[in-house]
Amino acid sequence: MKIEYTLKHKTNPDAEIVETKNSISFLAFVKHASFAGFDLRISPSFRTVLRFLENFHTFFYPFAEKKFSIIPQLAFDPTEKGQFSNRIGRTFADYFAKKLYDARFTYCYECYAKNYGISIKGSHPDFYCDSPHGSFVIEAKGYGCNTFSDNKMEKVKQQASSVSNKLNLKFSIASVTYNIYDSPIIKYYDPKFEPNNTDEALNRKLRASYFEIIKSLMGHLWIQGPFEELKDDYIAATLGVYGDIEFKLLVNKNILLDNHDYHWLEKVNSIDKENYFIDRDGIGFSFDFSKIIIDPWRYPCLCPSVLQNDFYEFWRD
């Protein structure tokens, strides 16, 4: 299942806009939605698993229909619509940070600032990203409107670059996703900073905390063992079961082995297959879509016709 998008990419303030069309898979979207801006200050809990499951359920129906949509009961609630649009905007910002700029980790900016020992008062971006080419920040926004001018992008760029003289960062990115309910358009603009020396010691500290959260989380899940399709490189754990279909968390074995020299990360690339997705941080999801039968009696929580045809009303009758 995929949703098509249009990317308008600008690599620096003086560059021409390069427009491309492509699509993002359901599992890739759920992974990026679940991990974008991961907060290392909060210990993993059942709510972390619920976040994965919520994103799975929230976006399953839109991807089945190949179009983003909020559930009808909340469609006229401006707060719900704003939060839904913002979540999609953050997801695409994270997706392209990894796809275009080789980021491996995206943290909430507040988490980074606390570890760096600086104030978070005033204007600042949403994400801090760690990549092999240097650290950078992103301001991410999402809107349901069908246009978003470059004049408005200037304000987003200002917020993205608001910390340029304070931190060891390579550049900042302004990311705005709009036209969400038709066919998403993402403006991904990159105002360059002067190159600085990335604080690698801090990045290693953040990576270690990130992996400790995943390792701790795996300790509370039913671990099935090696994920067969990726040999012995990934361990699978069950997040949810739908009839005889399992939604699984996939974790690179080096994370569980406390292998924090991170050289293994150099060999990890994004893998996007029909039934599983691996991100550049060595974490992914799997779900066997080939087993789905559009049968509301067997899979009422997954079947698009359930939401479309008021199945639960029918059930009560």
Side-chain angles (χ1 to χ4, degrees), residues 72-228:
Q73 290 84 353
L74 300 174
F76 293 99
D77 185 323
T79 301
E80 289 287 346
K81 290 184 69 175
Q83 292 176 349
F84 186 74
S85 299
N86 183 58
R87 197 188 319 185
I88 293 173
R90 290 167 62 89
T91 300
F92 275 113
D94 183 75
Y95 177 71
F96 288 115
K98 295 176 179 178
K99 186 179 180 67
L100 299 177
Y101 291 96
D102 296 330
R104 292 200 181 275
F105 306 94
T106 304
Y107 313 109
C108 72
Y109 175 80
E110 287 82 357
C111 175
Y112 165 69
K114 181 178 180 180
N115 280 276
Y116 203 87
I118 61 175
S119 173
I120 58 173
K121 293 182 179 179
S123 178
H124 57 76
D126 290 311
F127 299 147
Y128 169 81
C129 301
D130 172 9
S131 87
H133 310 300
S135 305
F136 59 95
V137 292
I138 305 176
E139 175 61 19
K141 297 189 180 297
Y143 300 103
C145 56
N146 57 14
T147 61
F148 196 88
S149 70
D150 278 3
N151 286 335
K152 291 182 179 179
M153 282 297 294
E154 287 299 320
K155 293 183 178 180
V156 184
K157 288 168 61 176
Q158 289 174 12
Q159 187 165 353
S161 60
S162 59
V163 296
S164 61
N165 296 320
K166 303 176 183 177
L167 310 173
N168 291 323
L169 301 168
K170 295 294 185 182
F171 54 90
S172 65
I173 294 172
S175 175
V176 174
T177 302
Y178 61 99
N179 201 42
I180 285 172
Y181 301 107
D182 185 7
S183 180
I185 301 172
I186 302 94
K187 285 190 173 182
Y188 216 69
Y189 289 10
D190 173 17
K192 288 291 186 181
F193 288 165
E194 290 296 323
N196 295 299
N197 294 321
T198 299
D199 191 334
E200 187 59 25
L202 176 59
N203 282 342
R204 291 178 68 87
K205 177 182 177 181
L206 294 174
R207 294 172 205 161
S209 297
Y210 184 89
F211 286 142
E212 280 301 316
I213 288 178
I214 301 304
K215 183 180 177 181
S216 177
L217 181 63
M218 289 288 279
H220 296 285
L221 298 175
W222 175 38
I223 297 180
Q224 298 182 339
F227 184 59
E228 293 181 0

Side-chain angles (χ1 to χ4, degrees), residues 5-12 14-22 96 100-101 150 185-190:
Y5 64 78
T6 299
L7 171 67
K8 296 184 177 183
H9 186 208
K10 192 173 182 180
T11 56
N12 63 67
D14 300 319
E16 295 292 327
I17 297 172
V18 178
E19 183 172 319
T20 57
K21 295 182 182 296
N22 211 323
F96 288 115
L100 299 177
Y101 291 96
D150 278 3
I185 301 172
I186 302 94
K187 285 190 173 182
Y188 216 69
Y189 289 10
D190 173 17

Side-chain angles (χ1 to χ4, degrees), residues 264-283:
W264 60 271
L265 267 174
E266 297 173 3
K267 300 179 181 179
V268 174
N269 293 308
S270 177
I271 305 174
D272 197 350
K273 299 293 185 180
E274 182 178 358
N275 295 326
Y276 68 90
F277 172 78
I278 299 295
D279 205 355
R280 289 177 53 80
D281 57 3
I283 300 168

